[in-house]
Structure formats: C-alpha cells, structure tokens
Amino acid sequence: MFNKVLLAIFSLTTLVSAHYTFPSLIAGGSTQGQWVNVRRTNNYQSNGPVTDVSSADFRCYNTQTAAKATTYNVTAGSTIGIAPGGAVSHPGVLNIYMAKAPSGVDVANWDGAGQVWFKVYQISAVTNGGQSITWPSNGATSYTWKLPQSLPSGGYLVRTEHIALHSASGFQGAQFYISCAQINISGGGSGNPGPLVSIPGVYTGREPGIMLNIYYPIPTTYTQPGPAVWSG
Ligand SMILES: *[C@@H]1O[C@H](CO)[C@@H](O)[C@H](O)[C@H]1NC(C)=O
Ligand SMILES: *[C@@H]1O[C@H](CO)[C@@H](O)[C@H](O)[C@H]1NC(C)=O
Ligand SMILES: [Cu+2]
C-alpha cells in the first residue's frame, strides 16, 4: 500500500516536471521576466498541454487567465526569442507563428482571430531513412530567431508552439505547449507575410507530423506541420 502511494506520487511528480511552459520573451539582448511580455497561460501552475487543436485554447491558451501582457518594443531585423520555464523535456518539434494586429488596434487588446497567422521559425525532426530520428528542439532552454527586415511595423502576437510527440500515435495524443507574446515592431518594411492561416484551424490533429508513432518503426521521413516559414 505504502509503496503504491509512493509510486503514485513519484509518477505524478515525473509527469508534472516533464511538462513545461513558455513564459519569457527574449528581446533587447536578454531574457525578460516570466509572464511580463507573454500572456499568462492557463497552465502556468500545472504546466499541462493542450491536446485539442480545435479548442479556443489552441491559440494562446489563456481562456481562464484572460491575461494581457506588456508589449515589448523591437526593431525589424533584430533577434528575438522565447525561453521555457525550465527546459523543454519531450521529443517534438517547434513552430513560431506571428500575427499583426489590425492598424489602429493595440495588440494588447487583440485576440488574434481570423486568417492572420504566418510562420516565422521552426525546428523540425532530423531523420535518417529509418535508422534514427532526433529532435533538436528537445532539451532547449531558449529558442531565438531573426525578425525579417521587411516585416511591416506594428503590433504583433508571437505564438510559440512546441508539439510533444512521445505519445502521439493516437488522435489527440500529441501535446501542444503554447503561449503568446506581444511585440511592437518599428523600422519595418513592406513585406507581405504568408501563407496566412487561422489558429485554431491550421491543423486537424491527423497530420502525419502530429499523429504518428515516433518509436516503431522509426519514421523514415518527418513532415513538419503547418505552412512554410516566411523569411521576408
Ligand atoms: C514602447 O515605445 C512607446 C513609444 O516610444 C512607449 O510609449 C512605450 O512605453 C514603450 N514600451 C515599453 C514597454 O517600454
Ligand atoms: C510602437 O512603436 C512605435 C514606433 O516606435 C510607437 O510610435 C508606438 O507608440 C508603439 N506602440 C506601442 C503600443 O508601444
Ligand atoms: Cu509533459
């Protein structure tokens, strides 16, 4: 009995510590405070994932907190990033999406509805014809990327999505770790970011890169979910 309780506690602890959040924007050359420039997510204590790609929480995961954040000023062409609270601890892949608030709308008051999201960065899997599959985004304590110089100036949501694939062989088995930061870009250009997608809406949950067994047989190829990266 005692052992069973201990085991239960141990499994619970392992489970919780295996989850993660993305609370910190990296900008201006340093990692900002947790939930300062990132809208506080529902799982800020549990660290639990979203598994329903059609739910309202699939966008910014803040339906319960209804949190806004402080918008960080950056320049187009600069490097920004996101840091997890701890480290990313599941095999999986990363997508970063951005969406521009309509002109005249403060991004702090904008919910990111509509077909407005484009991908700016991704870290996929590395395959080797079925001999091995590796996950370069796993174990990371930060992700950084360059904002294209031609991005139009204005307020943007920056949505991080790490897709954990350790139990993804069935529908809704993939775990999505999500958060949205707010930035205000100045010095931008006249680029036309795309392809644009809606979130939720971008996935069905049955994509080959979302519903798959990553262990056996070892996948020979991996298809990153979502549109191509827009690089300016
Ligand atoms: C961003 O820049 C605007 C205009 O210069 C300023 O009013 C605002 O306080 C800045 N935001 C932060 C968080 O510093
Ligand atoms: C965004 O940056 C522009 C240019 O610096 C500034 O005029 C504007 O006030 C900023 N907006 C916010 C919400 O900080
Ligand atoms: Cu986990």
Side-chain angles (χ1 to χ4, degrees):
M1 185 60 183
F2 184 61
N3 278 345
K4 258 190 188 166
V5 171
L6 269 188
L7 188 67
I9 292 171
F10 179 73
S11 331
L12 198 68
T13 314
T14 338
L15 208 67
V16 168
S17 63
H19 294 327
Y20 38 98
T21 57
F22 292 102
S24 296
L25 180 72
I26 299 169
S30 59
T31 303
Q32 307 300 315
Q34 297 195 348
W35 312 119
V36 175
N37 310 110
V38 175
R39 295 178 179 179
R40 185 183 292 275
T41 48
N42 297 351
N43 67 337
Y44 75 101
Q45 287 171 317
S46 74
N47 293 350
V50 177
T51 55
D52 180 354
V53 300
S54 64
S55 73
D57 273 321
F58 194 66
R59 190 182 300 148
C60 289
Y61 205 177
N62 66 339
T63 56
Q64 288 160 27
T65 62
K68 294 179 185 179
T70 304
T71 305
Y72 196 100
N73 291 320
V74 297
T75 52
S78 65
T79 293
I80 67 165
I82 193 86
V88 170
S89 53
H90 288 307
V93 297
L94 177 80
N95 286 319
I96 307 286
Y97 289 90
M98 287 177 60
K100 187 176 185 298
S103 57
V105 176
D106 186 342
V107 67
N109 299 324
W110 187 54
D111 66 0
Q115 193 178 334
V116 290
W117 296 89
F118 57 95
K119 199 192 278 184
V120 280
Y121 184 63
Q122 67 183 26
I123 303 178
S124 193
V126 178
T127 55
N128 185 17
Q131 287 172 8
S132 66
I133 185 166
T134 56
W135 310 97
S137 66
N138 191 13
T141 53
S142 69
Y143 302 118
T144 57
W145 63 93
K146 198 171 177 299
L147 291 170
Q149 186 69 58
S150 59
L151 267 176
S153 297
Y156 287 80
L157 291 174
V158 180
R159 177 180 172 278
T160 300
E161 168 189 279
H162 193 260
I163 313 177
L165 296 170
H166 54 294
S167 56
S169 49
F171 183 58
Q172 298 192 339
Q175 301 182 349
F176 293 80
Y177 294 90
I178 292 166
S179 75
C180 290
Q182 296 168 200
I183 60 171
N184 179 32
I185 297 179
S186 62
S190 54
N192 192 17
L196 297 175
V197 296
S198 301
I199 299 177
V202 59
Y203 310 136
T204 64
R206 297 184 186 274
E207 286 76 7
I210 293 179
M211 196 172 88
L212 77 164
N213 182 336
I214 62 170
Y215 299 107
Y216 188 83
I218 296 172
T220 53
T221 60
Y222 177 83
T223 307
Q224 183 80 2
V229 168
W230 185 77
S231 46

